[in-house]
Each structure stands twice: as C-alpha cells, then as structure tokens.
Amino acid sequence: MKKQALFMALVLISLCSADVLSQSLEPVEWSQEHIFTQPPRVVGFREGNALLHYAIVRPMASTVHYGAFPADEDLCLPSFRFRTKAQEIGEKGGYEAALRVYRFEQDIYNMAKGSTLEGVVVYRVGILNEDDGIVNYYEGRFRCGKDDQEVWALRPCLIEGPFVDLITDRSATISLEADSSCFARVRVADRWILSQDAQGHPLKARHHEIEISRLSPSTRYIYTVEISSDPDFGKHPLAWPQRTFQTAPPFGSREPFAFAYMSDSRQNPGGGEYGFGGCNYRIAQQFMVDLYRRGTDLVLFGGDLVNGYTSSKESFLRQLRTWKKAVEPVGSYLPIYETVGNHEQIGDYIRVNFADREPMVLFADRAGEESAEALFASQFVNPLGSIYKFGPPDAEDQWSGVGGDLTDALRELGLPHRKGPPYEETVYSFNFDNVHFVAFNTNYWYTGVYYGSRENVNLALQIAGGNREGYVMENQLAWLKGDLDAAQNDEHIDWIVLFAHEPAFPNGGHLGDAMYWVVRGEKEGLNDPRIPSGDVIDMRNRFWSLVSSYSKSLVVFFGDEHNYSRTYVDDSVHPNYRYPVWQITSGGAGAPFYGQDSSVPWTMQVRKFTSVPHYCFLKVHGMKVQLEVWTRSGRLVERVALSDLPR
C-alpha cells in the first residue's frame, strides 16, 4: 500500500502540472512496413498466365520474380527463373502481374518435374519506395494445373510449413497453413494421422496442428504432409516432399544432444534480403541452414524476429509470416522455440500534444486477442505453460492511479486497460533430456515512446499504464519461481537454461533500457518505485536472485544488444546472487551491430565480446555443456565449457 500511495502521489503531481493539463491526445496510424493495402493473390488465368493482383498505398515501381522449388533438394529453397513488371490497374493503387506459368510445362524450366511440387510456383513482389530508396519485398506461393479441358486452375497449396513443433521423447506436432480451407493429414511410420477438430471430426481449415503420438525416443522418423479439398484426398491432393524429425532422448537419459540460440533478425541496412519484409531474411535463413547442417536438435530464438513497431495488425502479421518463410526450410526438420522482443510491438499510437514543448508519440499494447502477445502466439506453436502441469502466468493488473486527469480522454481511446494481455505461448517451459528450458517475456504489455527519452517513457507509463521495456512483472516472477522450484527438485534434470530478450546486465547498445535504464552521469540505473515499473534495479535483483538461488541454473540467454557477450554473474556483482550463472547476450542474427560500452559496473565480468553476426551452438552430454560461437563466415569465435562452474 505504501508503494501504491507513493506512486499515486507522483501521478497526481505529474498529471496536474501545467505541462500536462494542456495536453491533448490524438490517435495516429504508425507503420514503417505497411506497403500493401491488399496482399498479392492469384485471381485467375489468361492464356497460360497467372494473374497476380495486389494493391499498395500509392503508385510505386513494382516487379515480380517467380520460379519453383527444385525436386532434388532436401531444403525447400526457392529458385527464381523469371521476372515481370507489374502494371497499374484501376484507381486505388491496384497492380496486376502476368506470370507465364505455361513455361513451367517445358522440360527446360520444369525443375520440379516428376515431384509432388510440380505446379507449385513461388514468387517475390519487389516494390521500390522512392522516399527511402529501399525495395520492399513480399514472398508467396500458389499451385496451379490444367483440368480435363486443358483449362488452367488454382489448386490448394501449402503456403507455410510444414513445421515440426513441440518435440518430446514420445510425440511431435506438425503445423501448416494452406491458402484455402482444406483437409490435412500426416503419414508417419506407415500410419496416417488426420487433422481433426475438438470433437474428433475431420477438420477443414487453413491452419492445422497435427499431434503425432506413440513414438519411440531418440528415433528419426520420415513424414509426409498431404492436403486436399476432398476429405478422401482423391481430388488434386498435394503431398509435400518427405521430411524427417527426430524425437528427444528418453527424459533424463543424459544422451548427447545439441541446441542453438540466436536472436535479433530484424531488418538491417544493406538492401535486398537484408531488409526483407521487416526481417534480415538472408542472415536468418543462412544461420538456420548452418545449424541444420551442423546437427542441432532444436533452436531457441530470443525475440526481435522482425521490425514491428506498428499500429497495423496486417503489417505485424505479414512481417512474422515473412520470418517464418525464412526459417521454414529448416523448421520442417526440427523445432524452433520463439519468444518476443521489444520489436514484436503492435499497439495504439497516440500523439500527446503540449502547449509549450514538442509533442511526443507514445505506444501502448492492446488487450486480449488484439495484443502483441496474442497475435505473436497465433503465428507459432509453443508450449501453453509449464512442463510441470500448470499453465502460463495470470495476466497482470494495471498500476494504480494511471491516467489521472486524462482518464476521460483516454477512455475514448480505449485506455488504460484494466488487465494486461495473455501470457500464453510467450512464457513457457519444456524439458529435453536432462535440460529444463524456460522462455520468459521481458517485453510484456509494452508501453513506450518511439525513440524517446527516459523522462518521456515515464510520462507515457503514467498516462497509458502497461509495462516498461525489460521489466518482469509480479505474476510472471511468481510463475518463474514455481517452475524453477519444480525443475530444481526434478531428479531427471541436471541443468536449467532460460531465454528471453532484454539483458539483465547490458554491455553495449541498450544500457538506457533493458534491466538497467541508466542515463549518462548516473552511477546506477533507474530505481524509482513511484513510477510504473520504475524500480528497475530492485526488479532485476529480485529476478537474478531467484535464478541464481538454484544450483542447476546454468545460463540465461538474452538478445536485444546486437552483439555477443559472455558475462560471469556471481556474488561479486550482488551479494544476493548465490550461485554463479552465465549471462550470454547473443543478438547477432542480422540486426544492425552495436559495440561494447565498458562503463557498466560489471564490465570486468565480461569474458568475451564481439559485434559480428553470429549464433550460439551448444553440445550437451550429461553434466557437460560446451558452447561454440560461430560467425556467418564460418569462423569460430570461441569454444568454452559452460558447465565448469563452482557449485
């Protein structure tokens, strides 16, 4: 109560100042990636040409590249063969591109001949935005063929996946997305598993998640996905090429396995695939392929998949789908576990106008199914809560006193929300052999100011409520304690590995936020309990004291800073940190680089640092855990035994 009273006093003082009383609030549209007003789709055929239609925000030069998937490749990486310029149609930014699909009937161009991918066309739309000189891309695919009358027609096509998800020693889930409602099934070990609804009936839908049970541990299975508009799969079925997955070792068997971690693949200067639909398509895909060839069993991805920061739901979802296309070739063989970063942000953008200073634009996460968390979860298949049979954390409560004298104006904008968004599939845990993995959310219910000062962020939180970047709120912290307690007491578990986005101890690029929020001239970061989520340093110490209280805690992976640092965090950093735990920041999956800032108090604890794009590859064999850090050029940055910690 004392903390709430202090906070209420601050809000009343702040919101009753002359500066704030002269405010007005104005909703604004905000999106850097919002190019399409209607996404590309094939609307019909003319003389052997597929007619691709789309609409964009204003007239811009537009080219479509198209090709096919090779029949003899284990990874479905598209090969583009032709291009055509799109032509304006109508008066509402509409465009049409004629794709000469009849040419794929010729042997010289039919690289998928004789395979199940024959008739599948992959395309990329490139749109030149003359304002910034950047080409914006969109990638899609469709399937076509001739009927008995030699007339071209569309047929159901797989447009996302298949993805392997939720691998255990006895089960796996295959997820996929089609371009139209259809039936789906998976063939594994000489049996077909049909996609069904909750009542056990055949499911006709675009999205399918098919659980495969009764599997054996440590076994590689061949699987085939098939879709059709016909429940008997007799009418133009599409069988995707055979793929494989491997089940986990028996729980606690301590067999050798490998996993990988990386983060921050949002788009980067460099043009082309470095800035593809909000993500660095080139680096994200290259690193996934490298890890597949290197033999990893699973991948952890710690947020900032895409640029985000948008008020457009369509733009946000389109960016996430682009990222999925980049990782899909490898995701059809092994599971990728994702969590959110600060760039997975979608919400309401509000211009706050002042009488005597420049306006600021704040953003606030939305509620329920329109929140960043719920939309993110809708695009991925991750565990629903803790492996120890309890669900995700409860949604957090709003801070007391938010809004002040602006309550009526905020109510017209649907703010502030009384409860935070759901945590489902952004906070979860799972076990793989003898390691307990925990994904947590350091960007929950995110409120902020786009490239604003700490003072403005504090004001935005007082106005709209929500949560600060990098802050772990009470319900999530309580959930972490329950989950980590269970893992510590689990005799099958030797090590605990956590991953999220915002580092507890930043080393270069994000000292002004994350779990520090320092400004130049301060010796310590933000620690003011009167401001919503303002006790950052106390929160960080509560979090790290919890993690370090378990002897099995090995490493906490973060991203956010676009570099690599390995930091040894022990009681020399804070006396309440009982056991030493590694902090590894690995934000090198393609976002713009950051150098090291040696001004932080823990800089002597940093054992290794580099700014080059990279990923982490870890080999586990019983109690031994070895880390390797590899760059995109194939250089080994370091190889170190993480498990050599005093206990």
Side-chain angles (χ1 to χ4, degrees):
M1 290 299 293
K2 184 177 180 181
K3 178 178 175 181
Q4 288 186 349
L6 284 170
F7 168 53
M8 177 68 81
L10 179 75
V11 169
L12 290 174
I13 292 170
S14 176
L15 294 181
C16 290
S17 67
D19 209 23
V20 179
L21 282 174
S22 57
Q23 287 175 352
S24 66
L25 306 180
E26 177 187 355
V28 295
E29 295 295 320
W30 191 279
S31 182
Q32 294 181 312
E33 308 300 327
H34 190 49
I35 299 296
F36 292 94
T37 56
Q38 293 180 9
R41 66 186 182 95
V42 174
V43 298
F45 295 85
R46 183 174 61 228
E47 298 177 351
N49 294 278
L51 304 180
L52 187 72
H53 281 199
Y54 52 90
I56 55 181
V57 291
R58 65 179 185 277
M60 289 180 273
S62 181
T63 302
V64 180
H65 307 261
Y66 57 105
F69 290 115
D72 55 351
E73 180 63 77
D74 61 338
L75 300 177
C76 270
L77 301 172
S79 293
F80 296 98
R81 185 62 180 81
F82 305 110
R83 69 175 181 269
T84 186
K85 188 174 181 179
Q87 305 297 323
E88 285 189 68
I89 56 173
E91 299 179 353
K92 296 183 178 180
Y95 281 80
E96 178 182 274
L99 312 187
R100 296 172 292 175
V101 295
Y102 67 87
R103 301 194 72 175
F104 293 116
E105 292 185 298
Q106 304 170 33
D107 287 347
I108 193 172
Y109 300 126
N110 191 0
M111 70 184 313
K113 184 177 181 179
S115 79
T116 59
L117 291 176
E118 195 166 8
V120 175
V121 178
V122 60
Y123 64 87
R124 282 183 181 175
V125 180
I127 298 171
L128 176 61
N129 187 341
E130 294 181 353
D131 291 346
D132 52 20
I134 293 176
V135 177
N136 295 273
Y137 288 101
Y138 177 96
E139 184 174 303
R141 58 186 182 237
F142 62 92
R143 177 172 166 246
C144 59
K146 290 181 178 178
D147 62 18
D148 294 339
Q149 306 300 316
E150 293 292 303
V151 176
W152 287 91
L154 286 174
R155 293 172 180 170
C157 187
L158 207 62
I159 58 171
E160 288 181 9
F163 287 102
V164 174
D165 300 299
L166 307 180
I167 286 283
T168 74
D169 59 342
R170 299 286 180 177
S171 65
T173 296
I174 305 298
S175 63
L176 58 99
E177 189 88 16
D179 60 359
S180 58
S181 289
C182 62
F183 300 94
R185 61 183 181 178
V186 178
R187 183 178 177 86
V188 178
D190 296 325
R191 58 190 173 105
W192 285 103
I193 299 95
L194 182 66
S195 180
Q196 298 178 327
D197 61 20
Q199 288 72 43
H201 303 132
L203 175 64
K204 188 176 185 181
R206 291 186 58 185
H207 181 75
H208 296 267
E209 297 177 18
I210 305 172
E211 183 179 358
I212 306 166
S213 58
R214 295 184 288 131
L215 302 176
S216 299
S218 301
T219 303
R220 182 159 295 280
Y221 288 91
I222 298 172
Y223 76 96
T224 301
V225 166
E226 191 172 27
I227 64 171
S228 176
S229 58
D230 176 10
D232 296 323
F233 292 84
K235 183 179 180 182
H236 305 305
L238 170 62
W240 208 249
Q242 286 186 344
R243 294 291 180 258
T244 69
F245 65 82
Q246 182 164 315
T247 50
F251 184 36
S253 64
R254 295 166 177 83
E255 294 181 11
F257 74 94
F259 72 94
Y261 177 84
M262 57 179 155
S263 181
D264 294 81
S265 58
R266 67 178 178 87
Q267 77 178 43
N268 193 2
E273 289 188 338
Y274 290 103
F276 189 125
C279 79
N280 192 328
Y281 194 107
R282 179 173 180 175
I283 298 299
Q285 187 169 87
Q286 177 192 339
F287 282 179
M288 287 292 178
V289 172
D290 284 356
L291 287 164
Y292 169 72
R293 301 297 184 201
R294 206 174 286 281
T296 193
D297 292 288
L298 64 151
V299 176
L300 315 176
F301 205 98
D304 276 15
L305 290 67
V306 297
N307 271 11
Y309 283 110
T310 178
S311 60
S312 167
K313 175 181 175 180
E314 292 74 20
S315 174
F316 184 67
L317 294 176
R318 187 157 51 243
Q319 291 180 57
L320 293 178
R321 289 167 183 151
T322 298
W323 186 86
K324 287 196 290 183
K325 285 184 172 65
V327 305
E328 173 192 281
V330 171
S332 63
Y333 287 90
L334 55 90
I336 304 169
Y337 294 90
E338 307 88 357
T339 191
V340 300
N342 59 297
H343 276 264
E344 274 72 63
Q345 192 284 327
I346 176 175
D348 295 312
Y349 281 70
I350 301 168
R351 179 179 287 109
V352 185
N353 298 304
F354 301 92
D356 54 358
R357 53 174 280 195
E358 290 295 314
M360 73 175 189
V361 176
L362 69 83
F363 53 80
D365 197 358
R366 293 172 182 152
E369 296 305 309
E370 296 297 309
S371 66
E373 288 79 2
L375 292 175
F376 185 89
S378 75
Q379 294 301 301
F380 300 102
V381 180
N382 285 313
L384 291 175
S386 171
I387 187 66
Y388 295 110
K389 307 302 182 185
F390 55 90
D394 293 333
E396 307 283 352
D397 294 322
Q398 184 61 271
W399 305 91
S400 300
V402 164
D405 290 342
L406 296 172
T407 300
D408 290 340
L410 287 164
R411 188 178 294 117
E412 293 182 9
L413 302 176
L415 292 169
H417 303 301
R418 187 174 61 86
K419 281 276 190 181
Y423 274 113
E424 278 84 351
E425 295 191 59
T426 67
V427 176
Y428 56 86
S429 68
F430 63 95
N431 294 333
F432 198 98
D433 198 343
N434 62 325
V435 178
H436 180 64
F437 292 96
V438 186
F440 63 106
N441 187 348
T442 56
N443 297 95
Y444 173 80
W445 204 2
Y446 179 22
T447 294
V449 178
Y450 197 73
Y451 286 110
S453 66
R454 189 176 78 179
E455 177 187 12
N456 280 350
V457 172
N458 291 343
L459 181 57
L461 285 159
Q462 293 169 34
I463 293 172
N467 191 30
R468 181 184 306 272
E469 177 180 358
Y471 194 93
V472 180
M473 297 183 78
E474 290 182 5
N475 291 351
Q476 184 176 185
L477 203 60
W479 183 93
L480 283 169
K481 185 179 187 307
D483 182 79
L484 296 176
D485 280 348
Q488 179 71 23
N489 293 321
D490 189 336
E491 63 181 10
H492 300 293
I493 294 299
D494 294 322
W495 295 113
I496 296 170
V497 172
L498 300 94
F499 66 105
H501 189 66
E502 307 269 346
F505 303 96
N507 289 304
H510 279 278
L511 277 65
D513 45 65
M515 297 191 195
Y516 197 30
W517 283 86
V518 75
V519 296
R520 189 172 297 278
E522 284 185 343
K523 293 183 178 180
E524 286 289 342
L526 178 63
N527 206 29
D528 189 343
R530 300 172 300 171
I531 305 170
S533 54
D535 58 330
V536 173
I537 301 303
D538 285 348
M539 179 281 301
R540 182 191 70 195
N541 290 334
R542 290 193 297 271
F543 166 74
W544 204 270
S545 294
L546 173 67
V547 171
S548 65
S549 68
Y550 302 100
S551 62
K552 295 180 180 180
S553 292
L554 175 65
V555 57
V556 186
F557 283 102
F558 293 110
D560 200 27
E561 298 188 309
H562 310 152
N563 47 47
Y564 169 76
S565 63
R566 177 169 55 88
T567 305
Y568 184 76
V569 184
D570 63 1
D571 59 4
S572 68
V573 178
H574 192 283
N576 289 348
Y577 299 167
R578 181 179 179 186
Y579 292 106
V581 180
W582 292 110
Q583 174 187 279
I584 292 179
T585 299
S586 176
F593 66 84
Y594 290 125
Q596 185 173 7
D597 188 328
S598 299
S599 67
V600 294
W602 48 84
T603 194
M604 296 301 294
Q605 303 297 109
V606 179
R607 301 294 190 257
K608 190 71 175 180
F609 187 97
T610 184
S611 295
V612 299
H614 69 279
Y615 57 82
C616 296
F617 180 62
L618 295 97
K619 300 175 182 178
V620 181
H621 192 176
M623 293 295 293
K624 296 181 179 179
V625 182
Q626 178 179 272
L627 165 70
E628 297 175 356
V629 181
W630 294 91
T631 72
R632 63 175 175 172
S633 66
R635 179 176 68 89
L636 179 65
V637 174
E638 69 167 345
R639 179 182 287 121
V640 62
L642 287 187
S643 48
D644 290 347
L645 286 173
R647 284 291 184 262

